[in-house]
Amino acid sequence: MSDQCCCCSDCGAMPPEVKRKFDELDQYIAELHPDDNPERSRGFLIQILHRAQGLFGYLPEDVQKFVASRLKLSPAEVYGVISFYSYFTDKPVGRYKINVCTGTACFVKGASKVLDEFKRRLNIKEGETTEDGKFFLGALRCVGACSLAPVVMVNDKVYGNMTAEKVADILKECAE
């Protein structure tokens, strides 16, 4: 890995922390997928994207291009996976990643009202991060907790039987 970002040559030296993340990702790919066979690459893509998002917090274009290059895939193939799976994001997310389940069970039990209340209180739209970088608001199709519908996830914590009235409590809990 050079000291330049992988997407261009005119951006200057890569900050040491970013370079460390790229080096760690490069080593992970080499250990996981040592033979560079493009047909086998697709089988490792999701696992590698999980690691990359864990390192960088999201999957910016330069990370996508790096993964595509290392796996000998097109950037479009990589982006296709990122845009298909709701777990992945190509935009920075806040410290608190709030996702409202909008799957059938949650939708029927009022998830849209919960989502609307988060939008109102945070003054952001779905898929956005607050200006202070504290909160990200998203929607997921199903989190597999239908008996608790409607469900909200904040980072890895699940809140069941949500109502619009409980949104303030969740935001207060995050602020503490």
Side-chain angles (χ1 to χ4, degrees):
M1 176 91 214
S2 76
D3 286 344
Q4 302 279 321
C5 81
C6 61
C7 62
C8 61
S9 59
D10 63 349
C11 64
M14 183 183 297
E17 179 62 21
V18 174
K19 182 177 181 342
R20 183 196 61 75
K21 291 176 183 180
F22 273 107
D23 288 344
E24 186 176 329
L25 181 59
D26 191 47
Q27 182 177 346
Y28 179 74
I29 293 170
E31 290 170 3
L32 186 67
H33 182 49
D35 65 5
D36 286 339
N37 178 340
E39 290 306 312
R40 288 178 25 105
S41 295
R42 287 175 189 83
F44 294 105
L45 181 55
I46 290 176
Q47 189 174 352
I48 290 166
L49 290 174
H50 273 279
R51 175 61 67 97
Q53 186 162 289
L55 287 168
F56 292 91
Y58 68 112
L59 298 166
E61 187 176 348
D62 57 342
V63 172
Q64 293 176 44
K65 287 180 177 181
F66 177 77
V67 170
S69 173
R70 284 290 281 116
L71 294 180
K72 296 184 175 31
L73 299 172
S74 74
E77 287 178 277
V78 173
Y79 181 74
V81 170
I82 292 167
S83 62
F84 180 80
Y85 291 102
S86 61
Y87 174 81
F88 297 122
T89 182
D90 61 352
K91 294 178 181 71
V93 296
R95 182 170 157 217
Y96 295 101
K97 187 175 181 180
I98 300 169
N99 278 299
V100 178
C101 179
T102 57
T104 304
C106 290
F107 182 79
V108 168
K109 291 193 171 188
S112 61
K113 291 178 184 172
V114 173
L115 184 58
D116 287 343
E117 184 64 9
F118 274 112
K119 288 177 187 177
R120 187 183 73 75
R121 287 186 175 270
L122 295 172
N123 196 30
I124 58 175
K125 297 176 185 168
E126 184 182 324
E128 293 182 344
T129 299
T130 56
E131 285 186 24
D132 62 4
K134 192 169 184 178
F135 296 100
F136 168 83
L137 181 60
L140 300 173
R141 292 301 304 154
C142 185
V143 298
C146 300
S147 64
L148 300 174
V151 172
V152 169
M153 288 188 68
V154 179
N155 297 339
D156 294 325
K157 186 173 181 180
V158 176
Y159 294 85
N161 302 306
M162 279 298 302
T163 63
E165 293 74 28
K166 293 180 183 178
V167 167
D169 296 333
I170 289 177
L171 295 176
K172 183 179 176 187
E173 184 179 320
C174 294
E176 294 173 350

